[in-house]
Amino acid sequence: MNSQLIDRLLKTIGKANVLYSPEDLAVYSYDGTFAEGHPDVVVLPETTEQVSQVVRLAAETRTPIVPRGMGSGLAAGSVALPTGGIILCLTRMNHILEIDKENATVRVEAGVITADLQSAVEKLNFFYPPDPSSQRHSTIGGNVACNAGGPRCLKYGVTGDYVLGLTVVLADGQILRTGQKTIKDVTGYDLNGLFTGSEGTLCLVTEVLLRLVAKPRFAKTALAEYDSLVDASRTVNAILTAGIVPASLELMDQTAIACIEEAMHMGLQTDVAASLIIETDGTDEQTVLREIEAAARICQENGARSVKMARNEAERGNLWKARRSISPALARLAPNKMGEDITVPRSAIPEVVQRLRTISTNHGLPIAIFGHAGDGNLHPNILFDKRQPDQWEKAEKMVGEVFAASLAVGGTLSGEHGVGVMKRPYLEGALGPLSIEIQRKIKQALDPLNILNPGKIFPDKAQP
Amino acid sequence: MNSQLIDRLLKTIGKANVLYSPEDLAVYSYDGTFAEGHPDVVVLPETTEQVSQVVRLAAETRTPIVPRGMGSGLAAGSVALPTGGIILCLTRMNHILEIDKENATVRVEAGVITADLQSAVEKLNFFYPPDPSSQRHSTIGGNVACNAGGPRCLKYGVTGDYVLGLTVVLADGQILRTGQKTIKDVTGYDLNGLFTGSEGTLCLVTEVLLRLVAKPRFAKTALAEYDSLVDASRTVNAILTAGIVPASLELMDQTAIACIEEAMHMGLQTDVAASLIIETDGTDEQTVLREIEAAARICQENGARSVKMARNEAERGNLWKARRSISPALARLAPNKMGEDITVPRSAIPEVVQRLRTISTNHGLPIAIFGHAGDGNLHPNILFDKRQPDQWEKAEKMVGEVFAASLAVGGTLSGEHGVGVMKRPYLEGALGPLSIEIQRKIKQALDPLNILNPGKIFPDKAQP
């Protein structure tokens, strides 16, 4: 990149909103993965209009733009790979613009932290359900880019189920507003749906209009422990078939449980094969209670060794603390991990877990498994030590085998993280060449100069 | 169209699957609107492969293809307007291919009647919720093409919320399969979402993989009658804000109620300004009861003159019979009607109803208003006599004013019927030129020869 472009950026959006010292650039070279990609410049626009100006400059100079929120992504979608270019970081666009109580909607800038949005609406007894584990350090714009999920999405749906409208900057710098405060809309193509989950490759999202629901006033949580993972999986189906839709239905395997217990000393039984955390919620306490009791009965009928009900908020908080501590706790077993988010048909959970164990045994590296079992969305975490080159190599090989295992049982690569850079080599195996061809055509139609997050999602054409 | 193409169609998919006599063509020249468009030939393929062969022939000869199910559409999307060409009618692809009990999914051919699909899964205690009023005479393929809704969509979501995968024939005849039996999937762009609601303009849907939910075992229904439509609207918001999500929350205005009573003699009070039909459902009888009782209390707190609870299935059936009889009952007031499906922010229901009444008064033709108030999705029906040319003219003018009223309060043109031919002139007013430009680019990328349902959704370029 020539210094002329930086000069023009400085003139366009002001010195305070442009970073280009090596130290500053280094900060924006990473995300939640091992990937590293150095941008040429970082811009921190404060308005949609500024984003538009940056895109016009980028289009004129054919400079890649990589949109970014808090950089918590798990697929390297917001790292300036492989091309460098402009990191367009939206964290300064962090205003909640309007909470419409009558229509139960909220309009926010893309850089708002998801948890901040949630607290703001909860004060008014509304609820924004999607709860990616990163909710305290990820932005709603990033959530929209990846169509993020989370434990509560079993009952409540994912980010895209809440998007009513978007303000986006297109590849030529034009500003497009989609949608409005209506729940239903079939007027033309569903651009909200197309843009959500497109990982910044079709347009840059600067504002989001979201629908809200009423805040559930009661929640009940239970922990069911199993001697057999197949029994735990069977329980998941039995609960859903019975017409109970828990807010969350989380699975943890023995490796994950052992890690938590070692780190937290919570009194979890570490000899169990699997545990389920089940939560029901709603506005009527009796109903919530009846549902968790019915779920607990189903656990017992399906072979649970024990079912413990959280008796109060403190006990409930502990169960969720355990679930949320898995990722940090894994660090006690190995210095590094690669966490994936394969999604399989629910019935295939036992088989895919068996396949993951075989992969682990074959390569001699542990895989901890946990995730949103109700959605079939599992997080196999390969544990290794990056300093040992053979482990790093093995781990990379294992990732490929994890994806192959998911596809073999009718699953897919990603339920909530997106493709980014990391899953590109596996995309054709998952979708086939024709789907990729169609998607490339859409990309080409909307971003003919290929300046919006190039090198993401799609495999290089030369690549096998 | 030359007879050579008909000959090739006969050779390709067999004599029994091709119609071209004037009498046969006439049958396929209409849908649920006043529009009329004569095709040159009708093909009734029995397999996806046959659809592909027809599309290849159409592409080679640049012949428009208009996909069609039962022709119950309300926007002329399946009428061979303005170009003639091939009607591709999918009613012979009417097989339920697989019900997967473990994963709660069903795979069907596009020509399956929605109600048939529903009965088949309900026998196994599953539930396919979307319930367009046409469910007994519309196909799932048509529902997908329009992203159809219905009363139950308040709680359960619309057609698109159930689409896990599609088999589609692309504009060049290639067959693409999207999705799989997973609830979550962010691997690449959301083609399911893009294709659903695209009204046959991007691809032809031949098979659909749908997710199912558990069949609710109990339902309770109440009728609340109001002296003020504003009070009825306020109740809708109050119920939802209280965290109650009824399966349905239907509004009927005085004109609609009077029509029903005149036709059905059900003892409805015809001097009320508006009525709500509220239904709660679920798998736990106590919960369903508590919810309807809570909803009834909220009706009373918000000014309902009376709230009547259906005491048994017969009374419940009667309430729904009343709701469903609106359309035929309107025929007693006037021989013809134009039914729209505007969708507005919930808070704007009173204002838009006021505007609709003004339109009615100004032109001297009645407008009956009913619809899915919980979604803000209203069906204003303009009542007139087509034989009187001045009324026909007035009605057409009023349609434009109805759309303008919806847009003026922040609403949109269509919540469930689609754009088809009928709403094309209003699209730019609703979406703006930039959105249409982007959508045209997608259309152009996927159907460069413009053979898939041409002349639908998008206004003619020369048109104002």
Side-chain angles (χ1 to χ4, degrees):
Chain A
M1 178 173 299
N2 53 43
S3 60
Q4 207 193 333
L5 176 61
I6 294 180
D7 285 345
R8 291 180 68 186
L9 286 169
L10 288 166
K11 270 184 208 131
T12 308
I13 66 165
K15 201 177 158 182
N17 295 334
V18 182
L19 306 176
Y20 53 92
S21 76
E23 303 75 40
D24 283 335
L25 296 182
V27 173
Y28 293 88
S29 298
Y30 305 91
D31 70 349
T33 66
F34 293 105
E36 186 180 338
H38 290 268
D40 298 293
V41 61
V42 174
V43 298
L44 295 141
E46 297 179 59
T47 63
T48 298
E49 191 45 52
Q50 286 186 343
V51 175
S52 164
Q53 289 166 333
V54 172
V55 174
R56 283 177 203 275
L57 272 179
E60 189 191 319
T61 56
R62 309 287 193 269
T63 311
I65 300 189
V66 181
R68 184 181 173 95
M70 290 291 281
S72 62
L74 293 171
S78 63
V79 177
L81 274 174
T83 48
I86 301 170
I87 284 273
L88 185 120
C89 180
L90 290 155
T91 47
R92 290 189 185 169
M93 292 186 65
N94 60 352
H95 300 93
I96 295 175
L97 302 172
E98 184 202 32
I99 300 177
D100 179 336
K101 290 196 268 185
E102 262 193 296
N103 289 304
T105 61
V106 60
R107 199 160 56 85
V108 296
E109 289 180 329
V112 168
I113 301 281
T114 306
D116 292 346
L117 154 65
Q118 288 169 327
S119 331
V121 303
E122 285 177 30
K123 278 179 198 148
L124 300 169
N125 280 317
F126 288 110
F127 191 49
Y128 174 69
D131 58 343
S133 298
S134 59
Q135 60 190 327
R136 294 186 188 288
H137 52 97
S138 71
T139 63
I140 191 70
N143 294 177
V144 169
C146 296
N147 199 5
R152 279 199 298 245
C153 295
L154 172 61
K155 175 171 179 176
Y156 290 102
V158 295
T159 303
D161 294 313
Y162 292 84
V163 174
L164 296 180
L166 297 170
T167 301
V168 304
V169 177
L170 299 167
D172 61 0
Q174 287 192 87
I175 297 166
L176 173 66
R177 290 188 175 79
T178 66
Q180 60 281 315
K181 291 178 184 175
T182 56
I183 304 301
K184 290 157 87 176
D185 184 10
V186 295
T187 311
Y189 300 154
D190 180 11
L191 294 183
N192 289 339
L194 178 64
F195 293 161
T196 302
S198 65
E199 304 188 37
T201 63
L202 296 179
C203 60
L204 306 176
V205 174
T206 60
E207 280 182 30
V208 189
L209 175 69
L210 297 161
R211 80 184 170 89
L212 302 171
V213 296
K215 187 179 166 185
R217 278 179 292 167
F218 304 95
K220 297 284 172 191
T221 310
L223 174 73
E225 295 171 308
Y226 290 84
D227 290 322
S228 141
L229 190 123
V230 173
D231 286 348
S233 294
R234 212 153 38 94
T235 303
V236 171
N237 269 340
I239 289 173
L240 296 170
T241 306
I244 301 165
V245 185
S248 305
L249 227 173
E250 296 285 300
L251 175 80
M252 304 179 286
D253 82 342
Q254 189 167 21
T255 310
I257 296 162
C259 280
I260 299 168
E261 184 54 29
E262 202 186 310
M264 313 275 292
H265 307 293
M266 299 180 69
L268 299 176
Q269 300 185 49
T270 53
D271 62 334
V272 299
S275 295
L276 293 175
I277 296 179
I278 305 161
E279 180 160 296
T280 62
D281 73 358
T283 51
D284 179 278
E285 191 168 19
Q286 285 308 309
T287 301
V288 175
L289 196 58
R290 291 167 73 91
E291 283 188 342
I292 197 74
E293 283 167 355
R297 269 196 307 278
I298 293 170
C299 291
Q300 267 146 356
E301 286 160 15
N302 284 276
R305 179 203 286 188
S306 71
V307 185
K308 291 167 194 156
M309 203 78 79
R311 283 165 300 184
N312 49 47
E313 273 305 296
E315 287 190 4
R316 179 175 164 246
N318 274 340
L319 282 178
W320 282 108
K321 205 167 147 193
R323 167 64 184 85
R324 289 208 191 87
S325 73
I326 296 179
S327 274
L330 294 177
R332 299 176 78 95
L333 266 194
N336 304 107
K337 59 185 163 65
M338 280 193 197
E340 295 306 339
D341 69 317
I342 57 169
T343 303
V344 300
R346 282 199 309 263
S347 68
I349 292 176
E351 187 182 341
V352 84
V353 168
Q354 193 48 57
R355 285 174 184 252
L356 296 174
R357 283 186 181 151
T358 306
I359 295 168
S360 169
T361 309
N362 287 350
H363 293 277
L365 289 178
I367 301 182
I369 305 168
F370 55 94
H372 321 308
D375 289 322
N377 184 197
L378 299 178
H379 294 303
N381 271 247
I382 302 164
L383 307 178
F384 66 105
D385 184 345
K386 203 181 169 208
R387 294 161 303 186
Q388 300 192 29
D390 64 315
Q391 289 204 8
W392 172 246
E393 249 174 60
K394 271 186 195 172
E396 291 212 300
K397 195 149 180 262
M398 287 167 77
V399 167
E401 294 179 17
V402 166
F403 291 139
S406 179
L407 298 180
V409 302
T412 183
L413 304 181
S414 179
E416 43 190 37
H417 298 171
V419 177
V421 174
M422 312 303 274
K423 302 194 187 86
R424 291 163 72 220
Y426 310 102
L427 197 72
E428 188 163 323
L431 301 181
L434 182 56
S435 178
I436 294 179
E437 184 192 323
I438 292 298
Q439 296 185 39
R440 278 193 203 276
K441 282 183 182 170
I442 296 169
K443 165 73 172 168
Q444 165 73 18
L446 268 57
D447 179 21
L449 302 175
N450 195 29
I451 58 165
L452 298 181
N453 219 3
K456 305 294 157 61
I457 300 184
F458 303 108
D460 293 329
K461 290 213 174 173
Q463 208 164 306
Chain B
M1 176 175 302
N2 54 43
S3 60
Q4 205 192 335
L5 176 62
I6 294 181
D7 285 345
R8 291 180 69 186
L9 285 169
L10 287 166
K11 271 186 206 130
T12 308
I13 66 165
K15 201 176 157 182
N17 296 333
V18 182
L19 306 175
Y20 53 93
S21 76
E23 303 74 38
D24 284 335
L25 296 182
V27 173
Y28 293 89
S29 298
Y30 304 91
D31 69 349
T33 67
F34 294 104
E36 185 180 340
H38 289 268
D40 297 293
V41 61
V42 174
V43 297
L44 296 142
E46 296 180 60
T47 64
T48 298
E49 190 47 51
Q50 288 187 343
V51 175
S52 163
Q53 288 167 333
V54 172
V55 174
R56 283 178 204 274
L57 271 180
E60 190 192 319
T61 56
R62 307 291 192 268
T63 312
I65 299 190
V66 181
R68 182 180 173 97
M70 290 291 282
S72 62
L74 294 170
S78 62
V79 177
L81 275 174
T83 47
I86 301 170
I87 285 271
L88 185 119
C89 180
L90 290 154
T91 46
R92 292 190 184 169
M93 291 186 66
N94 62 351
H95 301 93
I96 296 176
L97 302 172
E98 185 203 32
I99 300 177
D100 178 338
K101 291 196 267 184
E102 262 194 296
N103 290 304
T105 61
V106 59
R107 198 159 57 83
V108 296
E109 289 181 329
V112 169
I113 302 282
T114 306
D116 292 345
L117 155 65
Q118 289 169 328
S119 331
V121 303
E122 284 178 29
K123 278 180 198 148
L124 300 169
N125 280 316
F126 288 109
F127 191 50
Y128 175 70
D131 58 343
S133 298
S134 59
Q135 60 190 330
R136 294 187 189 287
H137 53 97
S138 70
T139 63
I140 191 69
N143 294 177
V144 169
C146 296
N147 199 6
R152 281 200 296 247
C153 295
L154 173 60
K155 176 172 179 176
Y156 289 101
V158 295
T159 304
D161 294 312
Y162 291 84
V163 174
L164 297 181
L166 297 170
T167 300
V168 304
V169 176
L170 299 167
D172 61 0
Q174 287 192 88
I175 298 167
L176 172 66
R177 291 186 174 81
T178 66
Q180 60 282 311
K181 292 178 184 175
T182 58
I183 303 302
K184 292 158 85 176
D185 184 8
V186 295
T187 311
Y189 300 154
D190 180 11
L191 294 183
N192 289 339
L194 178 64
F195 292 161
T196 302
S198 66
E199 303 188 36
T201 63
L202 296 179
C203 60
L204 306 176
V205 174
T206 60
E207 281 182 28
V208 189
L209 176 69
L210 297 161
R211 81 182 169 90
L212 302 171
V213 297
K215 186 179 167 185
R217 278 179 292 169
F218 304 96
K220 298 283 173 192
T221 310
L223 174 74
E225 295 173 308
Y226 290 85
D227 290 321
S228 141
L229 190 123
V230 174
D231 286 347
S233 295
R234 211 153 39 92
T235 304
V236 172
N237 269 339
I239 289 173
L240 296 170
T241 307
I244 301 166
V245 185
S248 306
L249 227 173
E250 297 285 302
L251 176 80
M252 302 179 288
D253 81 342
Q254 190 165 21
T255 309
I257 296 162
C259 280
I260 298 169
E261 184 53 28
E262 202 185 312
M264 314 272 296
H265 307 292
M266 300 181 66
L268 298 177
Q269 299 186 49
T270 53
D271 63 333
V272 299
S275 294
L276 293 177
I277 295 179
I278 305 162
E279 178 160 297
T280 62
D281 73 357
T283 51
D284 179 280
E285 191 168 17
Q286 285 308 309
T287 302
V288 175
L289 196 59
R290 292 167 74 91
E291 284 188 344
I292 198 74
E293 282 168 354
R297 270 196 307 277
I298 294 171
C299 291
Q300 266 145 357
E301 286 160 15
N302 284 278
R305 180 202 286 187
S306 72
V307 185
K308 292 168 194 153
M309 202 79 76
R311 284 165 298 182
N312 49 47
E313 275 304 297
E315 286 190 7
R316 178 174 165 246
N318 274 340
L319 283 178
W320 281 109
K321 205 167 147 191
R323 167 64 183 85
R324 290 208 191 89
S325 73
I326 296 178
S327 274
L330 294 177
R332 298 177 77 95
L333 266 193
N336 303 106
K337 58 186 165 61
M338 282 195 196
E340 295 305 338
D341 68 316
I342 57 169
T343 303
V344 301
R346 281 198 309 262
S347 69
I349 291 176
E351 187 182 342
V352 85
V353 168
Q354 194 48 58
R355 284 174 184 252
L356 295 174
R357 283 186 180 152
T358 306
I359 295 168
S360 168
T361 310
N362 287 350
H363 293 277
L365 289 179
I367 301 182
I369 304 169
F370 56 94
H372 321 309
D375 289 323
N377 184 196
L378 299 179
H379 295 301
N381 272 248
I382 302 164
L383 306 178
F384 66 105
D385 184 345
K386 204 180 169 213
R387 294 162 303 186
Q388 299 191 30
D390 65 314
Q391 289 204 10
W392 172 246
E393 248 174 62
K394 271 186 194 171
E396 290 213 300
K397 194 148 180 264
M398 287 168 76
V399 167
E401 294 179 18
V402 166
F403 291 139
S406 179
L407 298 180
V409 301
T412 184
L413 305 181
S414 179
E416 42 190 37
H417 299 172
V419 178
V421 174
M422 312 304 275
K423 303 193 186 86
R424 290 162 74 219
Y426 310 103
L427 196 73
E428 187 162 325
L431 301 181
L434 182 55
S435 178
I436 293 178
E437 185 191 322
I438 292 298
Q439 295 185 40
R440 278 193 203 275
K441 281 183 182 172
I442 296 168
K443 165 73 172 168
Q444 165 73 17
L446 268 57
D447 178 21
L449 302 175
N450 195 29
I451 58 165
L452 298 181
N453 219 1
K456 305 295 156 60
I457 300 184
F458 304 108
D460 293 328
K461 289 211 173 175
Q463 208 165 307

